[in-house]
Amino acid sequence: MEILNALVLLANFVLIPAISYGSQLALGALGITLIYGILRFSHFAHGDVMAFGTMLVILVTWALQSAGVSIDPLPTALLALPIGIIGTAILLLGTDRVVYRFYRKVRAAPIVVVMASLGVMFVVNGLVRFVIGPNDQNFADGARFLFTVREFRNYTGLDEGLGIRYSQMITVAITALVVAALFWFLNRTRTGKSMRAYSDNEDLALLSGINPERVVTVTWLVVAVLVTVAGTLYGLDKSFKPFTYFQLLLPMFAAAILGGLGNPLGALAGAFVIALSEVGVTYAFRKFFQYLLPESLEPNSLMQLLSTDYKFAVSFVLLVLVLLFRPTGLFKGQSV
């Protein structure tokens, strides 16, 4: 019974939050790895583009809520998601046409394009803060819990409870659908195969008659879907704050690099490793070990390695370690 209580405690506070958070990071990391694998640069505006897409979803959600539109028990934001994707796609395609296309034509060094993306990051960040403000915005509605901790305790008779929020269930389900659709698109469709060919060898792809501008356009459209869905799911699960999305850039890049830049499968694996590391290192394991150890060996401290305020430091440390000892990542960075 004590072991079961320990496992339920671990699942409630570490495993389920890590799976939900890892799913959100996975979609963002997939966007980063697609841009790097196909467009050949690191997109530092990624987090703020995610914030922009989520902001659009929030504004449309508020409009729908004011009009009395609801899909209870699911959040209304799911109805607003397509509008957010369209707006984010327009932003990315417009940015590409105004900024990034020039650097592609002159074949600028990747670091130059990265610096340009930094400029885009500041512009988008300022735009989001100007429109929706810098503070927390809560836009979640519908039912909160699939089942609560109390309901779980009453049903099982255990001392520890397990609660599943709708936002966590929706996050995992939508991420699975989006990832499955993405891999099907890349591996089964003609356009997806063209993107992979362009990523593997740009010159050979051009000789084969592949239109590079079409590949670039489709890439940005796919990224628009990934970042908007990821940002919306993160906002529903936690809350929306523009600066938080800027901070998410670090764990998303860490996930993409840990798995191997340019490798979508690696981005998925890296995202869950980062999420589990962040949640695990910042969780206080005292109660967990109290269930497993005899009373004489029970820990007196919280058994917490880092405060939750420093969870992004975990991503940074993992990123540095990977760059030092395995720069190609766990799956060896390769083209998509």
Side-chain angles (χ1 to χ4, degrees):
M1 188 67 73
E2 296 298 313
I3 293 177
L4 284 177
N5 279 316
L7 293 176
V8 169
L9 179 74
L10 191 67
N12 195 41
F13 290 102
V14 177
L15 297 180
I16 292 176
I19 291 171
S20 178
Y21 178 46
S23 298
Q24 295 149 13
L25 287 183
L27 294 177
L30 278 170
I32 287 174
T33 209
L34 282 176
I35 294 172
Y36 183 85
I38 296 173
L39 304 183
R40 307 287 197 274
F41 76 98
S42 299
H43 191 222
F44 276 20
H46 204 70
D48 289 289
V49 171
M50 182 184 292
F52 178 86
T54 310
M55 176 193 72
L56 295 180
V57 171
I58 292 173
L59 295 177
V60 176
T61 299
W62 286 344
L64 292 173
Q65 290 170 344
S66 299
V69 177
S70 172
I71 50 172
D72 189 72
L74 299 177
T76 309
L78 296 181
L79 292 177
L81 198 51
I83 306 299
I85 291 172
I86 292 171
T88 306
I90 292 172
L91 172 73
L92 287 172
L93 291 175
T95 303
D96 181 75
R97 182 171 293 273
V98 174
V99 181
Y100 302 133
R101 176 184 283 188
F102 167 78
Y103 294 106
R104 278 200 308 276
K105 286 184 176 179
V106 300
R107 292 187 174 270
I111 188 62
V112 175
V113 191
V114 169
M115 293 299 104
S117 75
L118 276 175
V120 172
M121 177 190 76
F122 289 120
V123 171
V124 176
N125 183 281
L127 178 62
V128 172
R129 289 168 182 257
F130 176 77
V131 173
I132 204 168
N135 300 321
D136 282 328
Q137 305 289 347
N138 188 357
F139 61 104
D141 58 1
R144 188 178 179 190
F145 284 96
L146 183 63
F147 57 85
T148 65
V149 169
R150 179 178 294 180
E151 291 170 344
F152 184 89
R153 284 174 177 166
N154 293 337
Y155 183 77
T156 62
L158 294 173
D159 294 331
E160 290 297 328
L162 179 67
I164 303 292
R165 297 198 303 271
Y166 264 97
S167 59
Q168 294 171 329
M169 181 186 69
I170 291 169
T171 290
V172 174
I174 291 180
T175 298
L177 289 174
V178 171
V179 169
L182 176 64
F183 277 83
W184 175 84
F185 173 76
L186 290 176
N187 291 289
R188 298 294 182 181
T189 67
R190 184 175 181 179
T191 303
K193 291 176 181 178
S194 297
M195 293 168 65
R196 294 173 59 199
Y198 185 83
S199 174
D200 287 335
N201 191 317
E202 181 179 345
D203 293 330
L204 186 58
L206 294 177
L207 290 174
S208 301
I210 292 175
N211 184 345
E213 288 304 314
R214 185 169 184 270
V215 169
V216 170
T217 298
V218 174
T219 300
W220 287 123
L221 292 176
V222 172
V223 170
V225 174
L226 293 172
V227 295
T228 308
V229 172
T232 301
L233 293 176
Y234 184 88
L236 287 172
D237 193 36
K238 298 169 180 66
S239 68
F240 174 82
K241 189 176 183 180
F243 185 67
T244 302
Y245 283 70
F246 168 76
Q247 290 178 312
L248 283 176
L249 186 67
L250 176 59
M252 286 190 297
F253 260 102
I257 293 172
L258 178 62
L261 265 176
N263 188 322
L265 184 61
L268 285 176
F272 287 104
V273 170
I274 292 293
L276 189 60
S277 300
E278 284 191 7
V279 176
V281 169
T282 57
Y283 176 67
F285 281 91
R286 179 180 179 179
K287 195 174 182 180
F288 174 77
F289 285 109
Q290 284 177 341
Y291 280 120
L292 297 179
L293 299 175
E295 188 174 348
S296 59
L297 297 177
E298 287 181 359
N300 295 319
S301 65
L302 289 176
M303 300 291 288
Q304 183 180 20
L305 295 178
L306 284 177
S307 166
T308 53
D309 293 333
Y310 299 101
K311 70 174 186 176
F312 290 122
V314 178
S315 301
F316 180 75
V317 170
L318 288 175
L319 177 61
V320 170
L321 291 176
V322 169
L323 291 175
L324 285 175
F325 298 106
R326 195 177 177 86
T328 56
L330 298 176
F331 286 73
K332 293 188 178 181
Q334 49 185 285
S335 300
V336 296

